[in-house]
Amino acid sequence: MSNKILGLISCNYNNEAFGSLTDERGLASLPFGGRYRLLDFPLSNMVNAGIRTIGIITPYHYRAIMDHVGNGKEWSLDRKSGGMFILPGSIYGLKNMRSTFLLRDIIQNRAFLDRAKEDYVLVSGSHKIFNMDLRPLFKQHISAGNDITMLYKPITDAENHPGTYLQLDGDKLVGLKSDEVGHANCFMDCFIINRDLLLKFIDWYKALGYIDLLDIVADSLPNLNVAGYAFGGYLGQVDNIRDYMKCSQDLLQEPVRRELFMSENKIYTKIQDNPPAKYGTHTSVKNSLFSTGCIINGTVENSILFRGVKVGEGAVIKNCVLMQKTVVEPGAVLENIICDKHVVISGGNKLFGAANKPLVISKGKNI
Amino acid sequence: MSKKEILAMLLAGGQGSRLGALTQKIAKPAVSFGGKYRIIDFSLSNCVNSGIDTVGVLTQYRPLMLNSYIGTGAPWDLDESEGGVFVLPPYATQDGGEWYNGTADAVYKNIDFIDSYNPEYVLIISGDHLYKMDYNAMLEEHKQNNAELTVSVIQVPWDEANRFGIITADDGGRIVKFTEKPAEPDSNLASMGIYIFNWSTLKQALLEDAPLADSEHDFGKNLIPMLLAQGKRLFVHAFAGYWKDVGTIDSYYQTSMELLREDSEFDILSGDQRIFSNSNIYPPHYTGENAVIENSLICNGSTVLGEVHNSIVSSEVYVGPGAKVYASILLPGAHVESGARVMRAIVGEKAVIEMNAYFGSLDEDEPIKVAGDGEHIIDDLWSRGY
């Protein structure tokens, strides 16, 4: 079944709400969870479902993403037949396009779809955090003979998550809404579509390159058989810096960690061969995650430390996310802070963010 | 096939029987070390860091784990189109099958493999030593000396010299005497079991040694003395860094514990000369609300809810609430359930210290306790002093 499905991941969109965190990288390559990047989730979900041909539409700033995925080796996508395809996104001079599934990006890479032998295309965004066995979705799509099946999660706090919501009549999609409150069906930026139909969309709408695939779906609803497929697991929604901190701290809960990382379906990422984390003699570490290569000598609480982070003696870190190779010198105090990669906080500094508005220290800063 | 300047033959067939429970199901080079490594990672990484891209790994004892661990060699960048890593187990021929009978015999039986690359030099190394070394420096010396064989040597304490192949060399570094495990050593220069041969010299020696009925087909015992007697040009290469052959449970334990010392001679934590390993992708390790971690190494995929002091915690280990681990080594996948104590002990891969069980002793006179891979240690009231 899965060999009839092609994967297509859009990374060519961004969001100003992340400030300096996405200045030099697409949202897809935002580091998350100590050693991952957001793209690892959709990419691993596809691989775990048996999809072996996956196209990745690159963002305006594509260095970080290319560095991360390489030739797809870690996802077993360095293959003779199929494998990973890097599909250049269309360039606008605008780096903060909000449109997730821009038709122009797909038109530009039409050859990838034309050449494919697969009957279906699983199209996905690149910043929703979940670990799901997608095979039941495929099965339902094929057995029900749908044109499109869209993945959603019923949530209870739609007002907190601006995005696309499905209006359903039973399984059948009757409309798409952009704002909802309370109970609503949150679209997970992931749908399966018959390849022929996607190619038809391209033909019909090619004059309007700057249109989002979802708008085409909404336009075509009366003539199509579009269904929803509900997901009941954990969905991490990272739409701004506060969400990023919240989703990071969700990982401190055992059930979330278990579902995302300890299930049979692994989330794959680039391997770096760092040594184990080293703890000194005067440490206090509570409710936190630590990655390889960390050297810990201070106090760390409710925080996520990426690879190679150093915490000096007497330093205190609470409710923080410290990305790769952050150095916190002895005696520094950090609370509600997100440090991008390679930040150095020298001794004696005391930095406090607010719990609902964490302070971001941008990449390479020396404080 | 293009000619290789040098290829490596890595001896990984030994059982390491003195490691007891640790090598019951796996060969010594496959034994876990330092949390996320296996012993063979060190010699494989040395090869790669020295630019050697073709390595034959000679396996024999319980090779399953080694075979699957080495795989395509990709984790060490040894998935090369012109070379790479080859696992070479014993094989059958028209004359029947035979095991590798000695280190030299293992190489002798793979003469065809080496010939297919037609190398100038062959590096012979062991897969069960812990060290970081740049073999290029040794090769340079080998060339400068116009040697036919260069043996890497290290100074060992005089009282341990009788455990090693002991070498006496003249001022120019030329070997004049080689004695395997001498009762009364007259030198403390020990062979590290690392040899660079001219392939022509080695091949001829292997062919000469193979038919000898009274030979044990061993590099140290037979080949090197034979070449010395023939007057070949044998030289030493002096190595000054850290090198350890962890032969026993005690030395495995001591060597592991040295990693925790600030002034540890064996520096696996620093970035230079990275040690590569074939690690699964695990999430960062989690430390619970009441976790206490002191002077320890902790690996990915682990969960620490209890206390860990002066210990090494490998990948995917679980230390339950209220559990206390002192001066111990928890190998990959080990579980220490809630309330259990582990003291000066080695807990094997996927072994379980059941709830409230006590394992090991803080008494330094007691031997290091070892729970074998997959073993379950149950709550035994006697061990808790009831």
Side-chain angles (χ1 to χ4, degrees):
Chain A
M1 182 173 68
S2 299
N3 59 4
K4 294 162 105 185
I5 300 166
L6 194 67
L8 184 63
I9 302 179
S10 169
C11 302
N12 193 15
Y13 60 98
N14 214 329
N15 182 341
E16 303 91 335
F18 288 92
S20 70
L21 287 178
T22 56
D23 261 358
E24 297 289 324
R25 57 167 84 91
L27 191 48
S29 44
L30 186 63
F32 179 78
R35 66 175 306 186
Y36 304 92
R37 293 184 188 251
L38 294 182
L39 172 66
D40 291 338
F41 294 90
L43 192 53
S44 301
N45 284 337
M46 286 190 182
V47 170
N48 288 333
I51 298 180
R52 287 294 180 273
T53 305
I54 299 175
I56 295 179
I57 299 171
T58 56
Y60 178 76
H61 283 298
Y62 58 85
R63 188 202 60 79
I65 214 157
M66 298 291 287
D67 179 44
H68 185 67
V69 297
N71 64 354
K73 186 161 126 181
E74 266 88 9
W75 296 267
S76 308
L77 290 173
D78 52 339
R79 307 176 77 80
K80 281 187 181 168
S81 58
M84 175 179 293
F85 291 82
I86 299 295
L87 309 175
S90 44
I91 294 175
Y92 302 93
L94 285 172
K95 69 185 175 74
N96 289 331
M97 286 299 296
R98 289 299 297 270
S99 189
T100 310
F101 304 110
L102 195 70
L103 188 67
R104 206 182 125 119
D105 287 342
I106 300 174
I107 293 172
Q108 187 155 314
N109 294 290
R110 181 178 174 140
F112 174 69
L113 293 172
D114 274 335
R115 273 187 217 145
K117 293 181 195 69
E118 290 81 354
D119 297 331
Y120 308 96
V121 186
L122 183 75
V123 185
S124 173
S126 49
H127 79 295
K128 302 265 190 214
I129 300 162
F130 61 98
N131 182 348
M132 174 186 175
D133 182 357
L134 292 164
R135 280 169 292 200
L137 166 71
F138 304 160
K139 217 169 164 181
Q140 184 182 312
H141 177 79
I142 294 168
S143 66
N146 295 336
D147 294 312
I148 298 173
T149 306
M150 303 178 75
L151 187 62
Y152 70 92
K153 179 178 161 75
I155 61 171
T156 54
D157 60 337
E159 62 277 10
N160 292 331
H161 302 288
T164 304
Y165 288 85
L166 308 188
Q167 293 179 300
L168 295 167
D169 178 10
D171 274 348
K172 196 170 156 52
L173 183 75
V174 293
L176 294 172
K177 262 186 105 177
S178 59
D179 290 303
E180 281 277 18
V181 288
H183 290 265
N185 300 316
C186 178
F187 176 50
M188 289 168 66
D189 282 359
C190 182
F191 61 97
I192 181 166
I193 178 169
N194 298 351
R195 184 172 62 101
D196 287 346
L197 178 61
L198 186 55
L199 288 170
K200 276 184 201 158
F201 279 174
I202 294 178
D203 288 337
W204 294 340
Y205 289 86
K206 65 184 167 211
L208 298 168
Y210 292 94
I211 189 171
D212 193 289
L213 264 184
L214 292 184
D215 295 331
I216 301 179
V217 172
D219 276 359
S220 319
L221 270 182
N223 309 313
L224 293 176
N225 195 4
V226 183
Y229 184 92
F231 171 65
Y234 173 83
L235 172 64
Q237 305 230 62
V238 185
D239 291 311
N240 52 46
I241 290 169
R242 190 198 60 211
D243 288 352
Y244 176 81
M245 180 62 102
K246 183 188 170 295
C247 287
S248 296
Q249 295 202 327
D250 282 348
L251 299 177
L252 298 175
Q253 298 166 29
E254 205 260 351
V256 174
R257 218 164 51 239
R258 178 172 297 268
E259 182 184 330
L260 283 182
F261 300 127
M262 299 299 202
S263 88
E264 262 174 54
N265 296 321
K266 294 247 170 355
I267 301 299
Y268 300 96
T269 189
K270 185 179 174 183
I271 293 184
Q272 293 195 341
D273 283 271
N274 280 311
K278 170 89 168 70
Y279 289 80
T281 36
H282 301 289
T283 68
S284 166
V285 286
K286 299 201 183 317
N287 193 36
S288 296
L289 287 168
F290 298 87
S291 308
T292 51
C294 283
I295 299 180
I296 309 298
N297 285 300
T299 297
V300 181
E301 285 177 24
N302 308 323
S303 296
I304 291 90
L305 274 60
F306 282 65
R307 295 182 268 208
V309 171
K310 290 191 178 126
V311 178
E313 259 177 63
V316 178
I317 289 156
K318 285 183 183 168
N319 304 324
C320 290
V321 174
L322 307 183
M323 291 188 196
Q324 200 171 323
K325 303 233 158 120
T326 298
V327 177
V328 183
E329 293 188 348
V333 176
L334 304 182
E335 205 170 321
N336 298 314
I337 304 284
I338 297 171
C339 284
D340 206 328
K341 293 160 86 169
H342 302 283
V343 163
V344 178
I345 310 284
S346 28
N349 274 305
K350 291 186 165 58
L351 301 178
F352 298 93
N356 59 356
K357 204 162 187 302
L359 185 65
V360 176
I361 313 288
S362 43
K363 191 168 171 179
K365 272 267 161 64
N366 206 325
I367 296 200
Chain B
M1 183 100 40
S2 65
K3 187 177 164 71
K4 291 273 173 203
E5 185 185 30
I6 183 165
L7 70 71
M9 296 297 273
L10 195 160
L11 301 161
Q15 176 185 355
S17 53
R18 287 174 302 157
L19 284 174
L22 292 180
T23 53
Q24 214 161 32
K25 291 183 183 140
I26 55 178
K28 180 170 157 192
V31 169
S32 163
F33 181 81
K36 63 175 289 187
Y37 306 100
R38 297 196 180 271
I39 293 175
I40 197 172
D41 285 333
F42 293 86
S43 35
L44 279 178
S45 299
N46 285 341
C47 284
V48 176
N49 289 330
S50 306
I52 297 174
D53 63 6
T54 308
V55 183
V57 179
L58 299 153
T59 61
Q60 177 151 293
Y61 175 80
R62 293 228 178 237
L64 173 67
M65 166 73 112
L66 270 179
N67 285 344
S68 63
Y69 186 70
I70 292 168
T72 62
W76 302 271
D77 284 347
L78 282 171
D79 49 340
E80 288 273 341
S81 53
E82 301 246 331
V85 64
F86 296 83
V87 177
L88 304 168
Y91 55 89
T93 66
Q94 283 164 329
D95 308 324
E98 233 187 274
W99 295 109
Y100 291 150
N101 299 309
T103 50
D105 183 55
V107 178
Y108 167 76
K109 289 199 166 92
N110 288 287
I111 284 180
D112 288 348
F113 166 76
I114 302 174
D115 266 341
S116 73
Y117 287 97
N118 189 23
E120 197 69 37
Y121 309 102
V122 174
L123 170 72
I124 308 279
I125 50 179
S126 162
D128 43 14
H129 296 164
L130 299 169
Y131 63 114
K132 282 184 179 182
M133 179 171 174
D134 181 359
Y135 302 127
N136 283 320
M138 182 174 171
L139 181 61
E140 277 313 306
E141 231 178 273
H142 180 81
K143 289 180 192 167
Q144 272 167 20
N145 288 331
N146 201 13
E148 290 168 286
L149 162 62
T150 299
V151 180
S152 187
V153 295
I154 191 165
Q155 291 202 334
V156 294
W158 279 95
D159 58 335
E160 285 182 31
N162 58 4
R163 290 174 41 216
F164 295 91
I166 290 298
I167 288 174
T168 315
D170 67 18
D171 291 343
R174 186 157 178 177
I175 298 175
V176 294
K177 194 173 160 198
F178 184 102
T179 332
E180 190 68 21
K181 301 194 171 96
E184 281 173 30
D186 53 8
S187 155
N188 68 338
L189 277 186
S191 162
M192 296 159 67
I194 300 167
Y195 314 115
I196 290 178
F197 284 94
N198 292 352
W199 175 223
S200 54
T201 309
L202 174 59
K203 186 174 172 183
Q204 196 196 340
L206 291 171
L207 292 171
E208 282 173 28
D209 170 76
L212 301 179
D214 59 346
S215 170
E216 290 178 47
H217 310 301
D218 184 271
F219 278 102
K221 287 184 194 141
N222 310 103
L223 265 255
I224 296 172
M226 182 174 87
L227 290 171
L228 198 59
Q230 290 172 353
K232 303 278 188 194
R233 293 180 63 81
L234 275 52
F235 284 80
V236 294
H237 166 72
F239 178 74
Y242 186 91
W243 173 84
K244 198 93 175 191
D245 177 359
V246 286
T248 62
I249 292 283
D250 263 350
S251 80
Y252 176 86
Y253 178 81
Q254 296 302 346
T255 309
S256 299
M257 285 298 142
E258 273 176 40
L259 296 175
L260 298 175
R261 290 217 324 258
E262 277 301 325
D263 56 348
S264 171
E265 274 184 83
F266 193 33
D267 180 15
I268 62 167
L269 300 175
S270 85
D272 60 319
Q273 280 218 25
R274 254 197 300 177
I275 305 300
F276 301 97
S277 68
N278 184 0
S279 51
N280 285 318
I281 296 179
Y282 298 115
H285 65 266
Y286 175 76
T287 60
E289 281 292 348
N290 300 309
V292 176
I293 303 179
E294 182 200 12
N295 190 35
S296 295
L297 293 179
I298 318 270
C299 292
N300 275 346
S302 290
T303 300
V304 178
L305 305 177
E307 294 185 19
V308 175
H309 303 271
N310 305 312
S311 295
I312 294 174
V313 174
S314 310
S315 315
E316 274 207 303
V317 165
Y318 175 79
V319 177
K324 291 182 179 174
V325 178
Y326 297 98
S328 294
I329 302 163
L330 310 181
L331 297 185
H335 270 234
V336 179
E337 298 294 349
S338 59
R341 295 272 165 96
V342 179
M343 296 159 286
R344 293 181 69 247
I346 301 169
V347 182
E349 299 192 28
K350 297 200 164 71
V352 180
I353 310 298
E354 301 267 22
M355 195 188 288
N356 297 331
Y358 276 40
F359 189 64
S361 157
L362 285 176
D363 183 351
E364 304 227 340
D365 295 332
E366 292 280 315
I368 302 300
K369 283 270 244 184
V370 182
D373 294 352
E375 205 178 319
H376 280 240
I377 305 295
I378 54 165
D379 182 13
D380 167 9
L381 294 182
W382 288 108
S383 69
R384 282 203 271 153
Y386 283 92

